[in-house]
Structure formats: structure tokens, C-alpha cells
Amino acid sequence: MELVRRLREGGYAGRALVPHLSARLIRDERHLEEIVARLKEAEVEEVFVVGGDAKEPAGKFRDALGLLEALKELGSPFERVGIAGYPEGHPFIEEKALMEALIEKSAHASYVVSQVCFDAGRVVKWVGRIRGLGVRLPVVVGVAAPIEAMRLARIATRIGVGESARFLRKQRGWLLRLLLPGKKAGLSYDASGFLEALVREGGGEGVSGIHLYTFNDLKSSVGWVRRQGAARGGF
């Protein structure tokens, strides 16, 4: 909430701010009402709702669906609501339950953003699968921004995308294709190959855009986007 206030006072329009609401950090309906009131005061129009990975919930909301339903009871105060999707599953939730939850959540959402993944083919198959289950929301594919390779490996393991990380290691010459020499930090991941593979695998037909995970390195991420735009005549 404090970051939203600072950004708003710094000149960002309310529609440019998309705070994440973590269900397991919200105590009850009253707490949620306070949060909504503060966001509306900042003219926020969009939120991203996740369950959150806290081992124990702060109150009654245990997952994103419960929070989405509570927002509906408050009159659906935001114009757009995003939810998360997991092409490689979730480290703490069984696949069947994950898919059932996505179907239920989709009734309260405007779009779904996928967890970061390094296997374009897996993402395309996941999009096809959720479409087959009746989820028609726009899909925004999560893409890892440039990041030092060892740090990326640690993050991938922590957030539960180990299968995808193993996919990288199995590919012949993956260091040459997917990692580019960094100036100071050694090898850095570059998503260009992933994006090309996504289009090649047919992902362009099933997704509406990409979401860049910056891993708190905004400067490097912005630089990469600008270089991609200059090289491709638009990005």
C-alpha cells in the first residue's frame, strides 16, 4: 500500500499501478475493505490476485479464489483482475486441484498470467489444455528478463520451475543459445530464444502478450526491452 502511494504521488496514473493482493496476508473482509478503500483512493483500476505462499494464512482467506469471491461481494471494485497460471504446476498444490481452481477463478478474472517458464513447448501445451477445459481468458505469458544465470537457477528452484530449468540443461548447446556473456556478472539469461520458440511452437495464436519478470532488476530489464525493440523495429 505504501509503494502504491509513493508511485501515485510520483506521477504514475492509477491505471498504471497493478498491486498484487495476496490472499494469505489478508485477515478478513474488514481488512480487505480497508485495502480496497486505499487503492480506490489512489485511483487504482486493476489488481493481481494470488494465493500467496505463506505457510499459514493470516486469517480466513486461504487461496486466491476465496479472495476473488470476497471482492465480488464488495461489488467487484476493480475494472480488471488478473490471476496466476502454472504451466509446470505448483510446488505445493496438486495438478488436478490447480486446474480446478483455475477454472473457478477464471469466472472472476480478466486475464491469466503464467508463472515464469523456460520451455516454450510446455507453455503452448498448457495454453491448449486450459482452453480445452473452457478457460477463455486472455493468456499473458510470463517471461524471465535478463538475469545472472546462477541467480536465475536459485530463483527457479525456489518458485517451483525446476522441471523447466532441467529442460535448459538438457538442451545441446543451451549455454550458447540461451545464455549470453554478461559484462560483469558472468553469464546472463536472455529470453530472445524463448520468445522465438514460443512463436515457432504456435504460441502466438493462444496468447495475448507477455509479462516480463524483472526479478527486481528494472534497469537491466528496460535496457533489454529497448535493445529488442531497436533490433526488431518494435517489441
Side-chain angles (χ1 to χ4, degrees):
M1 298 300 100
E2 175 61 18
L3 178 58
V4 168
R5 184 191 66 78
R6 286 166 46 204
L7 290 172
R8 190 73 177 90
E9 292 179 352
Y12 282 87
R15 64 179 180 278
L17 304 176
V18 187
H20 291 199
L21 301 183
S22 177
R24 286 178 163 244
L25 298 182
I26 298 175
R27 296 185 299 274
D28 51 29
E29 288 86 355
R30 183 175 180 179
H31 188 196
L32 179 60
E33 288 175 6
E34 294 172 357
I35 291 172
V36 169
R38 292 180 66 181
L39 294 181
K40 296 302 289 184
E41 183 179 355
E43 299 180 341
V44 168
E45 300 175 2
E46 180 177 344
V47 294
F48 190 74
V49 176
V50 295
D53 292 331
K55 290 184 178 180
E56 294 296 330
K60 66 174 296 182
F61 300 118
R62 303 190 64 85
D63 53 34
L65 179 60
L67 191 60
L68 289 165
E69 291 173 340
L71 285 171
K72 183 179 180 180
E73 290 295 319
L74 292 179
S76 301
F78 302 104
E79 293 183 16
R80 286 170 51 81
V81 177
I83 57 175
Y86 302 90
E88 295 189 280
H90 190 285
F92 309 124
I93 306 173
E94 293 183 359
E95 181 67 15
K96 184 174 183 294
L98 205 59
M99 282 298 182
E100 290 174 349
L102 180 59
I103 293 170
E104 292 185 84
K105 290 189 299 182
S106 66
H108 305 282
S110 310
Y111 61 92
V112 55
V113 179
S114 68
Q115 176 62 286
V116 64
C117 182
F118 308 108
D119 184 346
R122 185 181 289 267
V123 172
V124 172
K125 289 179 181 177
W126 174 77
V127 172
R129 184 180 177 192
I130 66 173
R131 292 288 185 252
L133 293 173
V135 177
R136 298 288 177 241
L137 294 177
V139 173
V140 180
V141 174
V143 178
I147 182 175
E148 192 271 326
M150 292 304 295
R151 182 171 176 233
L152 178 59
R154 291 193 295 270
I155 292 172
T157 300
R158 188 172 72 246
I159 65 179
V161 292
E163 193 64 38
S164 187
R166 284 190 287 275
F167 167 83
L168 288 181
R169 291 197 295 271
K170 290 177 182 178
Q171 303 309 299
R172 184 180 180 182
W174 71 278
L175 282 172
L176 296 177
R177 293 201 307 273
L178 299 177
L179 298 179
L180 300 177
K183 292 181 178 179
K184 294 182 180 179
L187 294 172
S188 297
Y189 173 77
D190 184 278
S192 303
F194 172 85
L195 294 174
E196 291 170 0
L198 186 66
V199 174
R200 189 169 59 247
E201 293 278 351
E205 301 176 1
V207 304
S208 63
I210 66 170
H211 173 81
L212 200 61
Y213 289 99
T214 68
F215 303 113
N216 295 325
D217 188 352
L218 189 59
K219 184 176 180 180
S220 295
S221 300
V222 170
W224 179 79
V225 169
R226 288 174 175 169
R227 290 193 299 273
Q228 292 295 311
R232 300 166 189 266
F235 185 65

PDB file of all heavy atoms in Angstrom, residues 56-74:
ATOM      1  N   GLU A  56       1.053 -20.313   6.729  1.00  0.00           N
ATOM      2  CA  GLU A  56      -0.221 -20.205   7.427  1.00  0.00           C
ATOM      3  C   GLU A  56      -0.898 -18.902   7.037  1.00  0.00           C
ATOM      4  O   GLU A  56      -0.265 -17.839   7.065  1.00  0.00           O
ATOM      5  CB  GLU A  56      -0.014 -20.255   8.940  1.00  0.00           C
ATOM      6  CG  GLU A  56       0.508 -21.584   9.449  1.00  0.00           C
ATOM      7  CD  GLU A  56      -0.478 -22.719   9.216  1.00  0.00           C
ATOM      8  OE1 GLU A  56      -1.704 -22.448   9.202  1.00  0.00           O
ATOM      9  OE2 GLU A  56      -0.027 -23.867   9.064  1.00  0.00           O
ATOM     10  N   PRO A  57      -2.178 -18.932   6.694  1.00  0.00           N
ATOM     11  CA  PRO A  57      -2.879 -17.702   6.334  1.00  0.00           C
ATOM     12  C   PRO A  57      -3.048 -16.790   7.544  1.00  0.00           C
ATOM     13  O   PRO A  57      -3.166 -17.257   8.678  1.00  0.00           O
ATOM     14  CB  PRO A  57      -4.224 -18.196   5.818  1.00  0.00           C
ATOM     15  CG  PRO A  57      -4.416 -19.541   6.455  1.00  0.00           C
ATOM     16  CD  PRO A  57      -3.039 -20.128   6.577  1.00  0.00           C
ATOM     17  N   ALA A  58      -3.068 -15.485   7.279  1.00  0.00           N
ATOM     18  CA  ALA A  58      -3.234 -14.511   8.360  1.00  0.00           C
ATOM     19  C   ALA A  58      -4.645 -14.527   8.915  1.00  0.00           C
ATOM     20  O   ALA A  58      -4.886 -14.058  10.032  1.00  0.00           O
ATOM     21  CB  ALA A  58      -2.887 -13.114   7.854  1.00  0.00           C
ATOM     22  N   GLY A  59      -5.590 -15.062   8.158  1.00  0.00           N
ATOM     23  CA  GLY A  59      -6.983 -15.085   8.586  1.00  0.00           C
ATOM     24  C   GLY A  59      -7.795 -16.101   7.810  1.00  0.00           C
ATOM     25  O   GLY A  59      -7.345 -17.224   7.618  1.00  0.00           O
ATOM     26  N   LYS A  60      -8.947 -15.695   7.312  1.00  0.00           N
ATOM     27  CA  LYS A  60      -9.878 -16.641   6.712  1.00  0.00           C
ATOM     28  C   LYS A  60      -9.592 -16.973   5.258  1.00  0.00           C
ATOM     29  O   LYS A  60     -10.073 -17.982   4.752  1.00  0.00           O
ATOM     30  CB  LYS A  60     -11.299 -16.101   6.833  1.00  0.00           C
ATOM     31  CG  LYS A  60     -11.582 -14.840   6.033  1.00  0.00           C
ATOM     32  CD  LYS A  60     -13.060 -14.470   6.119  1.00  0.00           C
ATOM     33  CE  LYS A  60     -13.935 -15.536   5.482  1.00  0.00           C
ATOM     34  NZ  LYS A  60     -15.365 -15.179   5.519  1.00  0.00           N
ATOM     35  N   PHE A  61      -8.811 -16.146   4.563  1.00  0.00           N
ATOM     36  CA  PHE A  61      -8.569 -16.384   3.137  1.00  0.00           C
ATOM     37  C   PHE A  61      -7.367 -17.315   2.949  1.00  0.00           C
ATOM     38  O   PHE A  61      -6.239 -16.946   3.239  1.00  0.00           O
ATOM     39  CB  PHE A  61      -8.330 -15.063   2.408  1.00  0.00           C
ATOM     40  CG  PHE A  61      -9.485 -14.110   2.494  1.00  0.00           C
ATOM     41  CD1 PHE A  61      -9.334 -12.871   3.100  1.00  0.00           C
ATOM     42  CD2 PHE A  61     -10.731 -14.450   1.997  1.00  0.00           C
ATOM     43  CE1 PHE A  61     -10.392 -11.984   3.184  1.00  0.00           C
ATOM     44  CE2 PHE A  61     -11.809 -13.575   2.088  1.00  0.00           C
ATOM     45  CZ  PHE A  61     -11.641 -12.340   2.686  1.00  0.00           C
ATOM     46  N   ARG A  62      -7.643 -18.494   2.435  1.00  0.00           N
ATOM     47  CA  ARG A  62      -6.587 -19.484   2.259  1.00  0.00           C
ATOM     48  C   ARG A  62      -6.073 -19.539   0.822  1.00  0.00           C
ATOM     49  O   ARG A  62      -4.992 -20.068   0.574  1.00  0.00           O
ATOM     50  CB  ARG A  62      -7.082 -20.873   2.679  1.00  0.00           C
ATOM     51  CG  ARG A  62      -7.601 -20.954   4.106  1.00  0.00           C
ATOM     52  CD  ARG A  62      -7.847 -22.398   4.514  1.00  0.00           C
ATOM     53  NE  ARG A  62      -6.622 -23.172   4.527  1.00  0.00           N
ATOM     54  CZ  ARG A  62      -5.792 -23.223   5.558  1.00  0.00           C
ATOM     55  NH1 ARG A  62      -6.049 -22.521   6.667  1.00  0.00           N
ATOM     56  NH2 ARG A  62      -4.690 -23.948   5.490  1.00  0.00           N
ATOM     57  N   ASP A  63      -6.865 -19.038  -0.119  1.00  0.00           N
ATOM     58  CA  ASP A  63      -6.445 -19.114  -1.519  1.00  0.00           C
ATOM     59  C   ASP A  63      -7.011 -17.935  -2.304  1.00  0.00           C
ATOM     60  O   ASP A  63      -7.823 -17.152  -1.798  1.00  0.00           O
ATOM     61  CB  ASP A  63      -6.889 -20.440  -2.144  1.00  0.00           C
ATOM     62  CG  ASP A  63      -8.378 -20.716  -1.962  1.00  0.00           C
ATOM     63  OD1 ASP A  63      -9.166 -19.747  -1.963  1.00  0.00           O
ATOM     64  OD2 ASP A  63      -8.764 -21.886  -1.818  1.00  0.00           O
ATOM     65  N   ALA A  64      -6.571 -17.827  -3.554  1.00  0.00           N
ATOM     66  CA  ALA A  64      -6.984 -16.703  -4.396  1.00  0.00           C
ATOM     67  C   ALA A  64      -8.485 -16.720  -4.664  1.00  0.00           C
ATOM     68  O   ALA A  64      -9.123 -15.659  -4.723  1.00  0.00           O
ATOM     69  CB  ALA A  64      -6.213 -16.745  -5.714  1.00  0.00           C
ATOM     70  N   LEU A  65      -9.062 -17.913  -4.824  1.00  0.00           N
ATOM     71  CA  LEU A  65     -10.486 -17.996  -5.126  1.00  0.00           C
ATOM     72  C   LEU A  65     -11.318 -17.352  -4.023  1.00  0.00           C
ATOM     73  O   LEU A  65     -12.269 -16.598  -4.303  1.00  0.00           O
ATOM     74  CB  LEU A  65     -10.907 -19.451  -5.325  1.00  0.00           C
ATOM     75  CG  LEU A  65     -12.395 -19.677  -5.615  1.00  0.00           C
ATOM     76  CD1 LEU A  65     -12.812 -18.948  -6.887  1.00  0.00           C
ATOM     77  CD2 LEU A  65     -12.697 -21.176  -5.723  1.00  0.00           C
ATOM     78  N   GLY A  66     -10.990 -17.633  -2.769  1.00  0.00           N
ATOM     79  CA  GLY A  66     -11.726 -17.048  -1.664  1.00  0.00           C
ATOM     80  C   GLY A  66     -11.663 -15.531  -1.680  1.00  0.00           C
ATOM     81  O   GLY A  66     -12.662 -14.848  -1.408  1.00  0.00           O
ATOM     82  N   LEU A  67     -10.506 -14.999  -2.022  1.00  0.00           N
ATOM     83  CA  LEU A  67     -10.357 -13.541  -2.076  1.00  0.00           C
ATOM     84  C   LEU A  67     -11.121 -12.963  -3.271  1.00  0.00           C
ATOM     85  O   LEU A  67     -11.744 -11.896  -3.161  1.00  0.00           O
ATOM     86  CB  LEU A  67      -8.877 -13.178  -2.172  1.00  0.00           C
ATOM     87  CG  LEU A  67      -8.548 -11.702  -1.961  1.00  0.00           C
ATOM     88  CD1 LEU A  67      -8.985 -11.239  -0.579  1.00  0.00           C
ATOM     89  CD2 LEU A  67      -7.057 -11.453  -2.158  1.00  0.00           C
ATOM     90  N   LEU A  68     -11.105 -13.653  -4.387  1.00  0.00           N
ATOM     91  CA  LEU A  68     -11.855 -13.209  -5.562  1.00  0.00           C
ATOM     92  C   LEU A  68     -13.352 -13.153  -5.271  1.00  0.00           C
ATOM     93  O   LEU A  68     -14.045 -12.216  -5.671  1.00  0.00           O
ATOM     94  CB  LEU A  68     -11.582 -14.140  -6.748  1.00  0.00           C
ATOM     95  CG  LEU A  68     -10.184 -14.047  -7.360  1.00  0.00           C
ATOM     96  CD1 LEU A  68      -9.929 -15.256  -8.263  1.00  0.00           C
ATOM     97  CD2 LEU A  68     -10.017 -12.750  -8.144  1.00  0.00           C
ATOM     98  N   GLU A  69     -13.839 -14.158  -4.565  1.00  0.00           N
ATOM     99  CA  GLU A  69     -15.260 -14.188  -4.214  1.00  0.00           C
ATOM    100  C   GLU A  69     -15.605 -13.047  -3.256  1.00  0.00           C
ATOM    101  O   GLU A  69     -16.682 -12.450  -3.347  1.00  0.00           O
ATOM    102  CB  GLU A  69     -15.603 -15.546  -3.605  1.00  0.00           C
ATOM    103  CG  GLU A  69     -15.538 -16.686  -4.626  1.00  0.00           C
ATOM    104  CD  GLU A  69     -15.706 -18.051  -3.996  1.00  0.00           C
ATOM    105  OE1 GLU A  69     -15.492 -18.175  -2.767  1.00  0.00           O
ATOM    106  OE2 GLU A  69     -16.038 -19.004  -4.723  1.00  0.00           O
ATOM    107  N   ALA A  70     -14.671 -12.742  -2.349  1.00  0.00           N
ATOM    108  CA  ALA A  70     -14.900 -11.638  -1.409  1.00  0.00           C
ATOM    109  C   ALA A  70     -14.917 -10.298  -2.144  1.00  0.00           C
ATOM    110  O   ALA A  70     -15.701  -9.411  -1.809  1.00  0.00           O
ATOM    111  CB  ALA A  70     -13.823 -11.645  -0.327  1.00  0.00           C
ATOM    112  N   LEU A  71     -14.074 -10.152  -3.148  1.00  0.00           N
ATOM    113  CA  LEU A  71     -14.076  -8.925  -3.953  1.00  0.00           C
ATOM    114  C   LEU A  71     -15.398  -8.781  -4.706  1.00  0.00           C
ATOM    115  O   LEU A  71     -15.931  -7.672  -4.843  1.00  0.00           O
ATOM    116  CB  LEU A  71     -12.908  -8.939  -4.942  1.00  0.00           C
ATOM    117  CG  LEU A  71     -11.520  -8.661  -4.365  1.00  0.00           C
ATOM    118  CD1 LEU A  71     -10.440  -8.920  -5.402  1.00  0.00           C
ATOM    119  CD2 LEU A  71     -11.422  -7.232  -3.839  1.00  0.00           C
ATOM    120  N   LYS A  72     -15.937  -9.890  -5.159  1.00  0.00           N
ATOM    121  CA  LYS A  72     -17.238  -9.846  -5.830  1.00  0.00           C
ATOM    122  C   LYS A  72     -18.315  -9.388  -4.866  1.00  0.00           C
ATOM    123  O   LYS A  72     -19.212  -8.591  -5.234  1.00  0.00           O
ATOM    124  CB  LYS A  72     -17.592 -11.225  -6.396  1.00  0.00           C
ATOM    125  CG  LYS A  72     -18.904 -11.243  -7.173  1.00  0.00           C
ATOM    126  CD  LYS A  72     -19.196 -12.622  -7.738  1.00  0.00           C
ATOM    127  CE  LYS A  72     -20.519 -12.613  -8.504  1.00  0.00           C
ATOM    128  NZ  LYS A  72     -20.837 -13.969  -9.064  1.00  0.00           N
ATOM    129  N   GLU A  73     -18.250  -9.847  -3.620  1.00  0.00           N
ATOM    130  CA  GLU A  73     -19.220  -9.429  -2.608  1.00  0.00           C
ATOM    131  C   GLU A  73     -19.122  -7.925  -2.330  1.00  0.00           C
ATOM    132  O   GLU A  73     -20.110  -7.299  -1.930  1.00  0.00           O
ATOM    133  CB  GLU A  73     -18.993 -10.209  -1.312  1.00  0.00           C
ATOM    134  CG  GLU A  73     -19.368 -11.682  -1.395  1.00  0.00           C
ATOM    135  CD  GLU A  73     -20.853 -11.880  -1.621  1.00  0.00           C
ATOM    136  OE1 GLU A  73     -21.658 -11.150  -1.008  1.00  0.00           O
ATOM    137  OE2 GLU A  73     -21.212 -12.758  -2.436  1.00  0.00           O
ATOM    138  N   LEU A  74     -17.962  -7.358  -2.577  1.00  0.00           N
ATOM    139  CA  LEU A  74     -17.770  -5.922  -2.386  1.00  0.00           C
ATOM    140  C   LEU A  74     -18.174  -5.127  -3.627  1.00  0.00           C
ATOM    141  O   LEU A  74     -17.922  -3.919  -3.707  1.00  0.00           O
ATOM    142  CB  LEU A  74     -16.307  -5.625  -2.040  1.00  0.00           C
ATOM    143  CG  LEU A  74     -15.811  -6.119  -0.669  1.00  0.00           C
ATOM    144  CD1 LEU A  74     -14.334  -5.776  -0.491  1.00  0.00           C
ATOM    145  CD2 LEU A  74     -16.638  -5.511   0.461  1.00  0.00           C
TER     146      LEU A  74
END
